Amino acid sequence: MESLNKVDDIIRISKKMGIPKEWVKSIVNSYITYVYNKVINGETVSFLRICDFRTKGYIGNKETLGFISNEVAKELGYSGLLVKSVLLYYEDIIASDIKRYRRHVINGLVKIGIEETYGNRLVITSSRSYTLKGVPNLVLSVRGSFKRKVGV
């Protein structure tokens, strides 16, 4: 199974949206850092609309993609709409690649892919990054809506 990473995705997003790679790279890196910091602090957070990181026993609000997009936009000085558009396209690329049996590695957070099991059944496989192994009571779950999006 071919494995892809965010460098490949940054180039694809940049070409598709007609914006500089540096912008895409800063948006994606800032988003990943934002999510990573939330996970490390024991908060519940989603990675795009793909999967959720939950800490057992955490009681609090989960921020929406729109809210996080605006936070990243403020940090970088871009519009919230641009940031959200880049992130949504990033999600679409990941979904499209997973449908083609390409595993995605989001450094510091998650590895996600699709595999065929016995009986020709397709399943989404996911594992959290090694850097998150020390976070107590952390649960990673792939969203049902994302599973339906990739046809599993």
Side-chain angles (χ1 to χ4, degrees):
M1 177 183 299
E2 183 182 3
S3 185
L4 299 173
N5 61 37
K6 71 178 180 184
V7 174
D8 303 316
D9 300 333
I10 286 168
I11 293 167
R12 291 164 64 189
I13 295 167
S14 173
K15 286 181 180 178
K16 176 70 176 181
M17 295 185 72
I19 59 176
K21 285 187 287 192
E22 294 76 24
W23 292 12
V24 177
K25 183 177 179 180
S26 65
I27 290 168
V28 171
N29 285 342
S30 291
Y31 177 76
I32 290 171
T33 300
Y34 187 93
V35 171
Y36 178 82
N37 288 333
K38 291 288 184 180
V39 173
I40 291 299
N41 289 328
E43 297 180 43
T44 296
V45 66
S46 295
F47 176 73
L48 301 172
R49 296 175 301 179
I50 296 174
C51 59
D52 296 319
F53 292 93
R54 294 184 287 108
T55 303
K56 292 178 186 173
Y58 174 77
I59 299 173
N61 296 325
K62 185 169 67 171
E63 298 166 345
T64 65
L65 183 59
F67 177 83
I68 296 172
S69 296
N70 284 330
E71 292 298 303
V72 170
K74 285 180 206 171
E75 175 188 325
L76 299 174
Y78 298 137
S79 78
L81 184 58
L82 173 67
V83 172
K84 189 171 182 183
S85 296
V86 167
L87 295 176
L88 289 174
Y89 193 66
Y90 187 32
E91 177 186 314
D92 289 342
I93 285 175
I94 293 171
S96 175
D97 287 340
I98 287 174
K99 285 180 188 178
R100 294 185 194 114
Y101 293 83
R102 295 177 178 155
R103 175 175 287 279
H104 260 267
V105 178
I106 292 85
N107 293 337
L109 287 177
V110 65
K111 295 176 198 165
I112 189 163
I114 193 169
E115 291 181 3
E116 207 169 301
T117 63
Y118 298 107
N120 298 328
R121 185 170 173 246
L122 297 176
V123 295
I124 295 275
T125 60
S126 62
S127 63
R128 58 188 166 158
S129 171
Y130 179 76
T131 61
L132 298 177
K133 296 293 184 197
V135 179
N137 300 316
L138 181 64
V139 177
L140 169 66
S141 59
V142 178
R143 289 182 164 194
S145 58
F146 184 75
K147 290 178 182 179
R148 287 188 297 278
K149 186 174 186 173
V150 297
V152 174

